Amino acid sequence: MAHVKSDAYRQSQAASEQWSRTPTLQEEEHAAAVPPENDVKSPLKSDVVEGKSRADDGDVYIVDWDGPDDPMNPKNWSFKKKWAATAIVSAFTFISPVSSSMIAPASDQLAEHFGITNTAVIALLTSVFVLAYAFGPLFLGPLSEIFGRSRVLQLANLWYLAWNLGCGFATSEGQLIAFRLLAGFGGSAPLSIGGGVIGDCWRPEERGQAIALYSLAPLLGPVIGPACGAWIAQKSTWRWVFWSTTIVDGIIQCLGLFFLRETYAPILLEQKAASIRKSMDAEKGAMREVRTVFDSADRHWSQIMKKALVRPFVLFFHEPIIQLLGVYMAFVYGTMYLFLTTIPGIFENVYNQPVGIAGLNYFALGVGLTGASQVNARMLDRVYKHYTVKNGGLGKPEYRLPTMIPGTFLLPIGLFITGWTATAHTHWIGPDIGIACVGAGIILNFQCIQTYVIDTFTLHAASALAAVTFLRSLAGFGFPLFAPAMYNALGYGKGDTILAAFAIVIGCPAPWLFWHFGERIRQASRYARS
């Protein structure tokens, strides 16, 4: 084993680990593969290694960051470069959900064009896109941990762009449903990979505002989409709903090619190792073993692929954090998509507004989402730093939970207001106030849960978010399908009261439970940071 690091350098590496990330189980396993009595050398100083390597062990060069301030480490990038990556990922995360819901106001036009009379099938045209959100991240998230975030994200977006364009040329109901499902697979990539990019770039004490932007995008997209789709459907044809989003996505894709760089540490270090292997070949005429700190001695591509693809399912079935938070996030997400499909019914049928004007009420949801997001963006990091200082400088993922508490109350309050003001036929501002409260509750819950998951499963953030996304996307697909029958049978008042009761029972205890028992759950986890 290579044997050359100085004490000073080992101390700098220790400082780097302390401030940049907490080792996960996998990293600890990799570290265990290196005997503690042997020092691991930075391969950039191969001339020193050559004279001090042990022949019986062979020359194994372990590639890591060059100290805590290595500019290659995404956590040491400039704020400008970090925010460029965050903005591009958030843009990808925004445009896909725009497509998921933009067709909702044009549902009647689609039903008339294809002769559809079944209300469940009409709702399926909108929600089938979200069904793909459940399964796409389970494969795309792990693939990003094998081939890199940027490459998988951009290829998946091109897949989404192609099939979304095809939706505009669909000639039958079956074609449209199939094209929507395929487009959703590609569009689902940012939902898991984007969280991984943010976990790669930002340190825990810096992540709050980045997560606020990233979490807002997939929720604001379904708000802006129907508002725009209503006017497109009224002034043009439903086909332009798809063509317009394809044009915007093409612009975002071009920006991604220029400004989105790779952020995943194992990939970056592997690129560094490959460069070293090439230079060693040229200089010495023989290949020496060069490995990164993330490699095990028996590392093989097929084993990496197998583990990475299975990991989201392992997390889903064996991690209580994923299960418990996933169930609540599923309910919140399902409620949002239920609202997206019922807002036109409230304002067109109860308040007799035309399609375009009724679509403007989606902005009430956007006001709640954006307003609460901006407040929480400033509070997440402040609260985290406050409790970290009180804990002697040691941060914990549970310090993300306090700002979730208002969200668990705003969601049921908003549901009560929306349902009963619509039932009482009050002024249209009444339901809009309730919708805004629902939006605020949704975003507060989303931001805190996503930040908690990223802080807990930093190295495997993409797989962890994929597992959480699976449940929530199934709910986003299923809730709109039963919404028409529920509201026809119960009305808006009783229907929303049932949803509010579920929100209270599931949501209100969640922050308290994880605040008191979250650390104990994490300590029993194979993948969570301690």
Side-chain angles (χ1 to χ4, degrees):
M1 184 66 69
H3 178 78
V4 299
K5 274 189 182 173
S6 66
D7 291 340
Y9 183 75
R10 287 200 305 272
Q11 290 170 3
S12 70
Q13 279 293 92
S16 174
E17 288 297 311
Q18 178 181 356
W19 290 106
S20 63
R21 57 180 170 83
T22 302
T24 62
L25 177 66
Q26 179 179 340
E27 294 174 85
E28 291 169 359
E29 289 172 349
H30 295 327
V34 182
E37 67 273 12
N38 291 338
D39 292 324
V40 181
K41 113 114 224 44
S42 169
L44 293 181
K45 302 175 183 176
S46 56
D47 54 333
V48 180
V49 177
E50 183 183 12
K52 295 192 176 182
S53 59
R54 286 172 22 195
D56 55 338
D57 288 345
D59 292 328
V60 180
Y61 300 165
I62 305 299
V63 180
D64 199 352
W65 303 121
D66 295 335
D69 301 318
D70 187 345
M72 277 187 62
N73 187 342
K75 287 186 170 67
N76 294 325
W77 286 356
S78 67
F79 266 56
K80 182 179 179 181
K81 195 172 181 180
K82 288 181 182 180
W83 275 113
T86 302
I88 294 296
V89 167
S90 298
F92 280 132
T93 313
F94 168 79
I95 191 61
S96 173
V98 166
S99 296
S100 74
S101 60
M102 196 170 180
I103 197 63
S107 296
D108 291 340
Q109 194 179 108
L110 276 169
E112 182 180 352
H113 182 88
F114 292 119
I116 305 171
T117 56
N118 189 318
T119 55
V121 175
I122 295 172
L124 182 64
L125 292 173
T126 298
S127 61
V128 70
F129 192 96
V130 186
L131 178 62
Y133 280 5
F135 298 97
L138 293 175
F139 299 96
L140 295 173
L143 285 174
S144 76
E145 295 172 357
I146 300 172
F147 301 108
R149 316 285 198 202
S150 178
R151 185 182 304 171
V152 174
L153 184 60
Q154 297 198 54
L155 288 175
N157 185 67
L158 287 173
W159 175 273
Y160 153 73
L161 187 149
W163 289 109
N164 191 63
L165 178 65
C167 288
F169 295 98
T171 57
S172 69
E173 164 197 339
Q175 279 187 8
L176 183 58
I177 291 175
F179 291 172
R180 291 271 289 163
L181 182 65
L182 290 168
F185 276 113
S188 68
L191 300 180
S192 60
I193 299 176
V197 171
I198 290 171
D200 296 338
C201 292
W202 300 92
R203 292 183 171 86
E205 66 273 14
E206 302 172 335
R207 274 183 203 141
Q209 293 190 36
I211 287 290
L213 178 62
Y214 170 69
S215 300
L216 178 62
L219 302 180
L220 197 58
V223 172
I224 294 177
C228 297
W231 288 102
I232 292 173
Q234 185 172 317
K235 301 295 183 180
S236 181
T237 171
W238 61 268
R239 297 185 186 276
W240 269 104
V241 170
F242 299 106
W243 294 338
S244 60
T245 50
T246 301
I247 292 170
V248 175
D249 183 59
I251 296 171
I252 295 172
Q253 178 65 54
C254 291
L255 292 173
L257 291 173
F258 289 103
F259 298 108
L260 184 60
R261 297 290 177 262
E262 185 54 60
T263 63
Y264 192 47
I267 297 297
L268 293 173
L269 290 176
E270 181 57 40
Q271 292 172 355
K272 182 177 178 181
S275 175
I276 293 167
R277 293 186 193 106
K278 184 177 179 181
S279 66
M280 291 174 67
D281 277 346
E283 293 173 6
K284 306 298 180 183
M287 179 61 126
R288 297 170 185 268
E289 185 177 0
V290 177
R291 293 193 277 113
T292 73
V293 291
F294 296 99
D295 292 339
S296 59
D298 59 347
R299 178 183 172 94
H300 190 273
W301 184 88
S302 62
Q303 291 298 317
I304 300 170
M305 188 80 160
K306 180 181 177 181
K307 289 179 181 178
L309 290 177
V310 169
R311 190 179 299 123
F313 300 96
V314 173
L315 289 168
F316 180 76
F317 288 108
H318 294 285
E319 294 289 342
I321 292 173
I322 299 297
Q323 294 165 356
L324 295 173
L325 291 180
V327 167
Y328 182 52
M329 185 179 272
F331 173 79
V332 172
Y333 198 69
T335 300
M336 187 187 74
Y337 268 87
L338 184 147
F339 257 64
L340 292 173
T341 56
T342 55
I343 284 175
I346 292 175
F347 292 98
E348 290 175 29
N349 300 330
V350 176
Y351 293 96
N352 298 315
Q353 295 177 350
V355 174
I357 298 299
L360 295 177
N361 292 280
Y362 282 100
F363 286 114
L365 190 61
V367 167
L369 290 169
T370 307
S373 173
Q374 292 305 304
V375 173
N376 202 33
R378 289 158 176 79
M379 294 303 298
L380 268 175
D381 287 338
R382 291 183 184 179
V383 171
Y384 185 88
K385 291 175 182 177
H386 170 74
Y387 282 106
T388 298
V389 170
K390 287 185 66 175
N391 195 41
L394 180 63
K396 297 180 181 179
E398 285 74 30
Y399 298 159
R400 302 295 188 183
L401 297 175
T403 56
M404 181 179 169
I405 295 172
T408 61
F409 288 100
L410 282 170
L411 180 58
I413 289 171
L415 288 167
F416 279 123
I417 293 174
T418 303
W420 290 108
T421 53
T423 300
H425 292 222
T426 64
H427 189 274
W428 57 263
I429 197 65
D432 276 349
I433 291 172
I435 291 169
C437 289
V438 169
I442 287 172
I443 192 63
L444 290 175
N445 285 302
F446 254 68
Q447 288 176 342
C448 295
I449 290 173
Q450 284 200 308
T451 314
Y452 183 84
V453 170
I454 290 172
D455 282 1
T456 302
F457 302 97
T458 304
L459 186 67
H460 304 303
S463 293
L465 288 176
V468 172
T469 300
F470 176 77
L471 264 183
R472 89 181 195 201
S473 298
L474 287 180
F477 166 72
F479 273 43
L481 299 183
F482 71 74
M486 182 182 74
Y487 286 120
N488 287 337
L490 301 175
Y492 292 112
K494 291 181 180 178
D496 282 348
T497 297
I498 291 174
L499 293 176
F502 273 101
I504 292 170
V505 171
I506 299 174
C508 291
W512 183 87
L513 288 173
F514 279 96
W515 182 266
H516 289 282
F517 303 108
E519 185 172 9
R520 187 183 306 174
I521 295 172
R522 284 189 292 108
Q523 289 174 347
S525 169
R526 293 176 54 198
Y527 293 96
R529 47 178 280 196
S530 59

